[in-house]
Amino acid sequence: MPTVSTAKPEIEPGPKHNVEAMREAFYERISKRDMAPLWKVMSSVVTKEPVTRVAPHVWRYDDVKSLVMESGGLISAEEAKRRVLILENPAMRGESKATNTLFAGIQMILPGEVAPAHRHVSSAIRFVLDGEGAYTAVEGEKAFMSPGDFVITANWAPHDHGNPSDKPMLWLDVLDFPAVNFFEASFADSYEGKETMQNTTRGDGDSLAFYGSGVLPDGAPADMKRSPVINYTYARTRPILDRVNKAGDIDKSHGARVRYANPINGGPVLPTMGANLALFPKGFKGEKYRATDGTIFVCTEGGGTTTVDGEVLEWGVNDVFVVPPWKAYSHQVNKESVLFSISDRPAQEALGIWREDRRPG
Ligand code: GTQ
Ligand code: FE2
């Protein structure tokens, strides 16, 4: 076995020094062939724990609403195609991302406006903040929307929006296109100069009646990657939270919480994104929690604070906030409050990489 001696530096004038020089010369030579030594970067490419660029952040609805309303005077829904102000994570400006996998934006559609039909590989969800009686038509079926409604638009489903009501409607859009673009697998179709393809034989609200009522059409498929329900209405979901709360089924971190599910198989509503609605009873002081899915929250009732890695985020009705992956967080409320949340957890679970930690240090 060779031993390294430090006793005679004059006699062996640094084999270490020579090795370093030889290594550097080698790295330079392989670099010219588009290669690099893994051992120099191993710990930063195979990290011991999740490393995130995402910053915790709150977008206050007061600011957001007035700015989105102002955009209504600058551009029409028709011209913009989608009149949306992007909620950009402050640590990733210019990338159109709220988290590394999810886009978030606030869309507004004014009375009488329509946003033309299109389709894309990215799945989308809407979470309604303001207004009453505008619709999203998905594959030709109109889903009329009210605040708190959770509406899904699956991969490649044609969709358009319209507002026959007399009030502006605003909603939160969340799309998975940062994830789709990571895979470089995006396609989109605008139907420009073609038929809108929005004529089907389905009636308004059919999907919820057929699939969201504890019965299924005879001959419904035995499996489906995404839910056939278009609109999970607040009117139906919210009362369930009271029942869960009354039953005492209150998670120490997540409160009285339900998960939006695909009625065909009980799975997530979309393969890439999953959502929950949670009620926190008055005085709830949540236990710290962390998971690998960065999460976007929206408050629908009440208000409170979420402490993320020591930073306190304050939120009230219609405020949107982001918790980065693997950062320990806990919710606290003084009054009864409700939070909607959405993340890429189903995608991570499908890939076998999702983890949670109920006792972060
Ligand atoms: O409403 O179809 O915020 O396609 C981003 C992309 C909304 C939409 C967005 C979209 C839409
Ligand atoms: Fe779209």
Side-chain angles (χ1 to χ4, degrees):
M1 285 276 276
T3 53
V4 179
S5 169
T6 52
K8 302 178 282 182
E10 311 85 0
I11 301 168
E12 289 179 288
K16 178 137 196 319
H17 173 80
N18 277 344
V19 164
E20 278 310 320
M22 284 167 69
R23 285 176 183 172
E24 287 306 323
F26 177 71
Y27 302 155
E28 263 173 50
R29 276 169 50 227
I30 66 172
S31 175
K32 293 195 177 105
R33 298 282 186 277
D34 299 297
M35 289 187 272
L38 173 62
W39 57 90
K40 297 264 285 186
V41 296
M42 187 72 172
S43 64
S44 56
V45 292
V46 186
T47 65
K48 244 178 104 109
E49 294 222 325
V51 172
T52 182
R53 291 192 297 142
V54 177
H57 191 68
V58 187
W59 289 268
R60 305 302 301 246
Y61 191 61
D62 283 348
D63 299 337
V64 165
K65 184 173 184 179
S66 63
L67 294 169
V68 171
M69 294 298 291
E70 206 180 318
S71 76
L74 295 173
I75 191 162
S76 68
E78 281 89 343
E79 193 188 347
K81 306 290 190 240
R82 299 294 187 263
R83 190 202 289 109
V84 175
L85 296 190
I86 304 169
L87 304 182
E88 289 201 311
N89 192 280
M92 301 187 295
R93 295 301 312 279
E95 297 181 42
S96 305
K97 291 173 174 179
T99 71
N100 212 36
T101 54
L102 300 179
F103 162 94
I106 306 292
Q107 180 158 179
M108 178 175 68
I109 182 148
L110 291 168
E113 285 191 323
V114 293
H118 70 186
R119 62 181 170 180
H120 35 73
V121 160
S122 270
S123 299
I125 67 92
R126 335 273 163 206
F127 191 77
V128 181
L129 303 176
D130 240 312
E132 185 74 57
Y135 65 83
T136 283
V138 180
E139 288 166 335
E141 180 182 329
K142 281 190 179 120
F144 286 91
M145 299 183 283
S146 301
D149 287 3
F150 170 62
V151 177
I152 66 167
T153 307
N155 175 348
W156 213 238
H159 53 285
D160 56 71
H161 316 302
N163 187 354
S165 85
D166 57 5
K167 286 180 276 192
M169 179 169 269
L170 284 85
W171 64 70
L172 171 75
D173 282 320
V174 178
L175 286 92
D176 57 17
F177 63 65
V180 172
N181 290 342
F182 174 78
F183 288 107
E184 302 181 329
S186 171
F187 294 90
D189 190 348
S190 72
Y191 296 118
E192 224 134 7
K194 298 181 221 162
E195 287 293 306
T196 61
M197 288 195 44
Q198 284 287 289
N199 296 320
T200 71
T201 54
R202 289 194 296 186
D204 300 348
D206 270 1
S207 78
L208 184 58
F210 290 173
Y211 298 97
S213 308
V215 296
L216 292 174
D218 228 1
D223 201 12
M224 220 175 174
K225 271 205 170 83
R226 49 92 172 184
S227 171
V229 176
I230 298 171
N231 189 354
Y232 292 78
T233 64
Y234 203 61
R236 290 176 59 144
T237 312
R238 177 63 180 85
I240 299 166
L241 297 184
D242 286 329
R243 287 179 182 269
V244 175
N245 185 30
K246 268 206 197 100
D249 189 5
I250 303 166
D251 184 274
K252 288 192 161 73
S253 298
H254 304 305
R257 188 166 82 153
V258 295
R259 178 174 64 82
Y260 293 95
N262 176 348
I264 299 283
N265 58 14
V269 293
L270 294 163
T272 51
M273 293 186 283
N276 294 82
L277 194 69
L279 180 145
F280 302 96
K282 185 173 180 234
F284 182 84
K285 260 178 87 95
E287 285 184 1
K288 273 203 252 174
Y289 175 86
R290 63 179 170 175
T292 51
D293 52 324
T295 304
I296 299 170
F297 291 90
V298 187
C299 171
T300 64
E301 294 175 35
T305 58
T306 298
T307 306
V308 186
D309 225 8
E311 185 178 337
V312 179
L313 306 179
E314 235 187 283
W315 41 265
V317 171
N318 281 353
D319 292 347
V320 178
F321 64 97
V322 174
V323 172
W326 211 240
K327 298 288 185 206
Y329 68 91
S330 57
H331 303 301
Q332 278 194 40
V333 303
N334 293 322
K335 51 191 168 187
E336 182 176 276
S337 301
V338 177
L339 283 180
F340 168 82
S341 62
I342 178 154
S343 81
D344 63 10
R345 176 172 165 175
Q348 291 197 29
E349 285 180 321
L351 298 174
I353 60 177
W354 183 79
R355 279 205 207 187
E356 68 177 342
D357 178 4
R358 290 192 159 264
R359 302 223 159 272

